[in-house]
Amino acid sequence: MAGSGASPHSPDSPLARAEHFVWLTARVLEQRRFAYHFLGGDADAVEAALAAYQGDDGGYGHALEPDLRGPVSQPLHTAHALRVLDSVGRLGGQRVERMCRYLTEVSTRDGALPALHPSQRGYPAAPFVPVVDDPPSALLATGPVVGLLHRNRVWHAWLFRATDFCWAAVDALEGSHPYEVEAAVAFLDGAPDRSRAEAAGDRLGRLVRGQGLAVLDPARIAEYPVAEGYAPGEHHFPHDYAREPRSLARRWFTDEEMGRSLDHLAAEQCADGGWPIRWRAWAPGTELECRPMVTIEALRTLRAHGRAIG
């Protein structure tokens, strides 16, 4: 259990090194999440830490997603909260009902979510998420939320139009970028119509391979393009799309390609025990807060695919 003394893991293992990094640098929420996933910690402690970020409107703010600062609720913060609750098996009940009411209130005219609500204006935010007065609907924000709610059998009136938007957005994808594809996968992995999801996933996989949106051989990484507007070196790999074997995206890659991807992920662990962020670091505090989050997800991905971490 967390707090019981020395780590039970080998001191040179990826998990033990990551644990030291998390205790040294992470916010309370990420400390509690690490303890839950790897040290037998309690889901109640994760929920208690997450509750500090929830606003009176049912949404989440207070820089839960570190690239958006300030107290106001935002769809991206709320999507992050849903992922945390899903990961500890607590996505349900009155809290989620309040979150769905918030999502309804901030939806666009077609019932979907904007990447950034105008209420962010006046508070610091990453330059790659500009504030506009009438933001468009975004698959980037809507897909992961809708997918998680469906996967957890949450039913709310907001979901009907939002689901229709996601299907239309996924079906319309011709040219895309990695984060939008990740959002599409998150939707498809939870969509109730499995036959339609599998057909859409197959088409999306062909798009990813055809447009070079995944580095299939890390030894030849210089040959793969970086999406427009991304930071230098902000590549994506098979494991970024298929974070667990049951994802539809796992079918896009051969065992050899996935193996190389996971080898690369394992090798990215830094000397301090944490994993790096690949996107643009625009403020010192945001990078410090993001690295423990990335570290937890790296360990979870490696473990989900059967790699030894402890």
Side-chain angles (χ1 to χ4, degrees), residues 54-60 78 93-105 156:
Q54 189 169 34
D56 294 337
D57 57 5
Y60 285 74
T78 305
Q94 280 297 115
R95 180 192 294 101
V96 176
E97 174 68 26
R98 290 182 62 208
M99 294 168 76
C100 286
R101 287 200 297 268
Y102 162 76
L103 296 172
T104 303
E105 291 170 2
H156 190 274

Side-chain angles (χ1 to χ4, degrees), residues 49-99:
L50 183 63
Y53 296 89
Q54 189 169 34
D56 294 337
D57 57 5
Y60 285 74
H62 297 281
L64 177 58
E65 186 67 42
D67 282 330
L68 303 178
R69 316 303 292 182
V72 294
S73 296
Q74 284 291 327
L76 291 179
H77 292 313
T78 305
H80 187 109
L82 286 167
R83 287 194 297 272
V84 170
L85 292 171
D86 174 68
S87 73
V88 299
R90 296 291 179 87
L91 209 166
Q94 280 297 115
R95 180 192 294 101
V96 176
E97 174 68 26
R98 290 182 62 208
M99 294 168 76

Side-chain angles (χ1 to χ4, degrees), residues 51-258:
Y53 296 89
Q54 189 169 34
D56 294 337
D57 57 5
Y60 285 74
H62 297 281
L64 177 58
E65 186 67 42
D67 282 330
L68 303 178
R69 316 303 292 182
V72 294
S73 296
Q74 284 291 327
L76 291 179
H77 292 313
T78 305
H80 187 109
L82 286 167
R83 287 194 297 272
V84 170
L85 292 171
D86 174 68
S87 73
V88 299
R90 296 291 179 87
L91 209 166
Q94 280 297 115
R95 180 192 294 101
V96 176
E97 174 68 26
R98 290 182 62 208
M99 294 168 76
C100 286
R101 287 200 297 268
Y102 162 76
L103 296 172
T104 303
E105 291 170 2
V106 298
S107 290
T108 60
R109 285 185 293 273
D110 52 10
L113 296 173
L116 193 64
H117 190 269
S119 60
Q120 183 68 31
R121 182 172 282 108
Y123 297 102
F128 42 83
V129 280
V131 182
V132 296
D133 289 330
D134 188 19
S137 301
L139 180 62
L140 182 72
T142 314
V145 170
V146 173
L148 279 176
L149 292 176
H150 279 308
R151 192 166 79 178
N152 285 271
R153 295 178 172 80
V154 174
W155 297 105
H156 190 274
W158 173 77
L159 265 176
F160 292 99
R161 292 183 68 204
T163 300
D164 288 343
F165 165 82
C166 288
W167 278 124
V170 170
D171 289 343
L173 286 178
E174 295 293 341
S176 190
H177 61 91
Y179 291 120
E180 187 173 50
V181 173
E182 287 184 22
V185 171
F187 166 67
L188 294 174
D189 280 345
D193 189 338
R194 297 314 302 156
S195 60
R196 185 177 180 182
E198 290 179 7
D202 289 344
R203 188 182 75 83
L204 197 57
R206 291 192 295 272
L207 181 151
V208 165
R209 296 184 73 94
Q211 297 183 6
L213 299 183
V215 176
L216 303 180
D217 185 356
R220 300 165 58 190
I221 194 169
E223 299 176 17
Y224 291 86
V226 174
E228 184 178 355
Y230 283 32
E234 192 174 357
H235 291 96
H236 283 65
F237 300 83
H239 66 261
D240 290 312
Y241 302 107
R243 294 193 173 274
E244 54 187 22
R246 65 178 176 173
S247 172
L248 287 175
R250 177 62 184 88
R251 305 177 186 180
W252 303 349
F253 311 107
T254 67
D255 290 346
E256 183 180 7
E257 289 165 348
M258 183 58 71

